[in-house]
Amino acid sequence: MENERGSWGSNIGFLLAAIGSAVGLGNIWGFPYKMGKSGGFTFLIIYLLLAVFVGFSIMIAELAMGRRTGKGTIGAYHALSARFKWVGWLAVFAPFVIMSFYSVLGGYCIEYMALNLSNLAFAGAEVKTGADLFGSMLTNPFGCVVFTLLFLIICYLINRGGISGGIEKFNNVGMPALFVMLVIIIVRSLTLPGAVEGLKFMFVPGYAVEAGFIESAPGIGSVMATAGGQMFFSLSLAMGVMITYGSYLDKKENLIKNSAVIVVADTIVALMAGLAVIPAAVATYGPSAALSGPKLLFVTLQDVFQAMGTVGPLFGVIFYLLVLVAAISSAISLVEVVVTFFMDRAAAKGTQGNRHRIVLLVCLAIMVEAAVVAVDGLGTNVLHIWVPFQNSLGVVGSFNDCWLDFMDCLSEGLAMPLGALLMSIMVGWELGSKTVLDEVHKSSAAKWIDGFLTFCLMVVVPLAMAFILGGQIGDYFSTAEHSMYAVGYGIGAVVVVVAWIVAFTSPKRKK
Ligand code: PHE
């Protein structure tokens, strides 16, 4: 049975795949800017504390849930819980929704790689500015759909190869290559005149305001919510990914060490990505540079490469290839969550699921939702397609200003913190941390983990997640006139209390 389901070829293969999932667009365009804007080193320390107490413990819990049950997300929740079975659905829904925009962004990376290849080939031809190029790409829905499809075809080809034959193989090559490319870009970026300003922006507390990058510093509540949301997304948590990857992991592998390596590697790559992109952007543009999100990648950095002269396009090709590899290695983990669900379902019915067909159908379904996001083009929407709640409510905060943000709000904004909150209460209060610890101790005798994990899962994680959920609601739904933070924190508090009562009265608890 084990063999039919497949498994990782080696522990390092698993690690590279898990790191590949974690390292993605979030590291490259999210972390560096958020760190600079939210207080440099101060932010880093808050981020690290959250990563150790919240991220690390959820990582262990997810890997343990997957490995213990030998099932993907939904199967694992069903096997373990009496009251929180349905939370598994959240963690399959969210990756599916994330793929709607992740594949579009992956498509953009392919387009920019092609652009830089062509700049390299036709050096001397007149080139447009990053902003013009980005604008013409977004207002060309057909092109965006085609490149989104291309990205999904790549994912399809990898995922159909299975766990060791596809995902592991890709990451075995992709991750080391990504690292090398990142180092090349860092060296180029840091040797540009003026790069040091960028370093100050990233690391020196208060510098972002002082030097005019942003107008005023965010409050501590907002910094914590930003750090928490970022940490979650970046570590691929509460998305079923680590449960799914854990379900293919051998019983002899050490969950504590593996989780620690994943968290540390992801954080190091995020810092390295900062060194690669921020100094270059600031050296070229100064404090007015767009330093986050799609604009950082596709406007600011494209200009940076164009300003470098003849060698620029070569660095451009390397950079967009690097981002593409990071996007693919995350996307295939998201696809695998859904694929494993269908494979397990077939197995539960006593048949062997046809992986090729399941992967094809999942990718096709993703293509349908992604086509909508691609056509909308980050809200440029030249075809005037309908955007949820926009006609009735107008643009409310960032939750419905374009399709991408809407899908992001559903998945990263709501499903992810809610799922993590409920999961920690399920493990901490319904099942008891022993469920996770038994699994952890199959391959480790470490004693300190018992108290640490129990305390984190029972107390720290639920409280931190309620706070992060509240902060996300505030971020996505606040408008210039109405702040939604108080409402958000209120909802967070209610969810914790209700979930706790549900867990406390669960029949599983009596045992
Ligand atoms: N961790 C990935 C990133 O940083 C995104 C991701 C989230 C991937 C959730 C899988 C699951 O971009």
Side-chain angles (χ1 to χ4, degrees):
M1 189 66 214
E2 278 286 309
N3 287 343
E4 274 178 42
R5 208 174 165 267
S7 61
W8 301 105
S10 67
N11 193 53
I12 180 81
F14 156 74
L15 265 178
L16 289 175
I19 294 171
S21 170
V23 170
L25 295 169
N27 300 59
I28 299 166
W29 84 25
F31 183 87
Y33 176 70
K34 289 179 188 169
M35 177 167 157
K37 180 186 81 167
S38 311
F41 262 123
T42 326
F43 175 88
L44 185 59
I45 288 164
I46 297 177
Y47 184 94
L48 290 177
L49 286 174
L50 283 167
V52 170
F53 288 99
V54 182
F56 175 61
S57 42
I58 298 194
M59 180 78 70
I60 296 183
E62 290 202 6
L63 290 175
M65 281 171 68
R67 195 174 73 174
R68 183 181 170 124
T69 58
K71 298 224 169 57
T73 314
I74 292 182
Y77 276 91
H78 269 255
L80 291 171
S81 174
R83 290 278 172 85
F84 294 91
K85 288 183 166 48
W86 59 276
V87 177
W89 287 98
L90 267 188
V92 167
F93 164 80
F96 180 72
V97 172
I98 288 201
M99 275 306 283
S100 74
F101 59 88
Y102 224 81
S103 22
V104 175
L105 299 169
Y108 294 170
C109 293
I110 304 180
E111 294 196 53
Y112 270 70
M113 219 175 74
L115 168 73
N116 282 277
L117 272 176
S118 124
N119 285 351
L120 187 64
F122 304 102
E126 203 189 329
V127 284
K128 293 196 206 150
T129 64
D132 284 338
L133 289 161
F134 194 44
S136 32
M137 180 179 77
L138 294 181
T139 49
N140 168 15
F142 179 67
C144 291
V145 170
V146 169
F147 283 94
T148 301
L149 180 63
L150 192 56
F151 182 82
L152 276 169
I153 291 175
I154 300 174
C155 296
Y156 163 74
L157 292 173
I158 299 172
N159 282 85
R160 77 183 260 206
I163 298 300
S164 59
I167 298 177
E168 185 170 344
K169 261 195 192 150
F170 175 80
N171 284 296
N172 276 345
V173 180
M175 284 304 107
L178 180 139
F179 194 80
V180 173
M181 292 189 281
L182 197 53
V183 171
I184 296 176
I185 301 292
I186 291 177
V187 172
R188 175 69 279 219
S189 171
L190 288 180
T191 49
L192 289 170
V196 73
E197 285 299 299
L199 292 178
K200 286 194 197 151
F201 166 77
M202 261 185 82
F203 292 100
V204 180
Y207 190 76
V209 181
E210 216 176 280
F213 285 88
I214 51 169
E215 267 170 28
S216 57
I220 182 74
S222 137
V223 169
M224 278 189 61
T226 309
Q230 171 67 25
M231 186 267 302
F232 252 79
F233 187 75
S234 190
L235 289 176
S236 303
L237 295 174
M239 287 282 160
V241 169
M242 295 302 164
I243 299 181
T244 304
Y245 276 14
S247 75
Y248 296 105
L249 192 60
D250 196 279
K251 296 275 182 205
K252 70 176 188 305
E253 305 303 350
N254 186 322
L255 298 183
I256 307 174
K257 276 194 196 139
N258 276 316
S259 303
V261 172
I262 301 169
V263 175
V264 171
D266 183 65
T267 311
I268 290 179
V269 173
L271 283 167
M272 287 176 72
L275 297 181
V277 298
I278 302 284
V282 173
T284 310
Y285 267 109
S288 63
L291 293 178
S292 82
K295 278 204 180 145
L296 167 72
L297 289 195
F298 303 119
V299 176
T300 313
L301 285 165
Q302 181 56 31
D303 281 336
V304 168
F305 298 125
Q306 288 180 183
M308 279 177 195
T310 1
V311 289
L314 186 58
F315 285 106
V317 174
I318 298 176
F319 178 74
Y320 292 107
L321 180 61
L322 173 178
V323 185
L324 179 63
V325 171
I328 293 175
S329 60
S330 297
I332 53 180
S333 72
L334 292 163
V335 171
E336 189 54 39
V337 172
V338 188
V339 169
T340 292
F341 161 62
F342 284 111
M343 293 290 289
D344 285 353
R345 210 176 63 156
K349 286 188 189 144
T351 55
Q352 169 82 19
N354 180 338
R355 177 172 268 273
H356 288 198
R357 207 175 65 207
I358 291 175
V359 176
L360 180 67
L361 291 176
V362 169
C363 288
L364 280 176
I366 293 173
M367 187 59 218
V368 173
E369 48 162 5
V372 178
V373 177
V375 167
D376 181 48
L378 300 179
T380 39
N381 202 354
V382 283
L383 298 183
H384 304 289
I385 59 168
W386 172 85
V387 181
F389 304 107
Q390 233 181 44
N391 287 341
S392 46
L393 300 176
V395 174
V396 179
S398 58
F399 108 92
N400 68 346
D401 62 355
C402 67
W403 265 100
L404 187 149
D405 283 338
F406 178 70
M407 299 303 245
D408 185 43
C409 170
L410 286 184
S411 51
E412 191 191 350
L414 301 175
M416 191 149 67
L418 190 63
L421 171 59
L422 296 175
M423 191 263 255
S424 62
I425 291 187
M426 171 188 100
V427 177
W429 295 92
E430 187 195 29
L431 311 177
S433 55
K434 206 173 161 297
T435 321
V436 167
L437 287 167
D438 282 350
E439 191 58 35
V440 169
H441 288 312
K442 290 213 167 104
S443 49
S444 159
K447 274 275 150 272
W448 62 272
I449 196 74
D450 295 23
F452 176 82
L453 214 63
T454 306
F455 179 65
C456 287
L457 290 174
M458 287 179 95
V459 183
V460 184
V461 180
L463 294 181
M465 288 323 300
F467 191 72
I468 292 169
L469 176 65
Q472 297 280 48
I473 293 175
D475 278 351
Y476 281 96
F477 294 94
S478 294
T479 58
E481 300 88 54
H482 298 286
S483 164
M484 291 293 282
Y485 286 91
V487 177
Y489 295 134
I491 295 177
V494 171
V495 176
V496 176
V497 173
V498 172
W500 189 76
I501 294 173
V502 169
F504 216 70
T505 56
S506 164
K508 283 244 172 176
R509 213 184 120 75
K510 306 264 153 52
K511 284 194 252 155

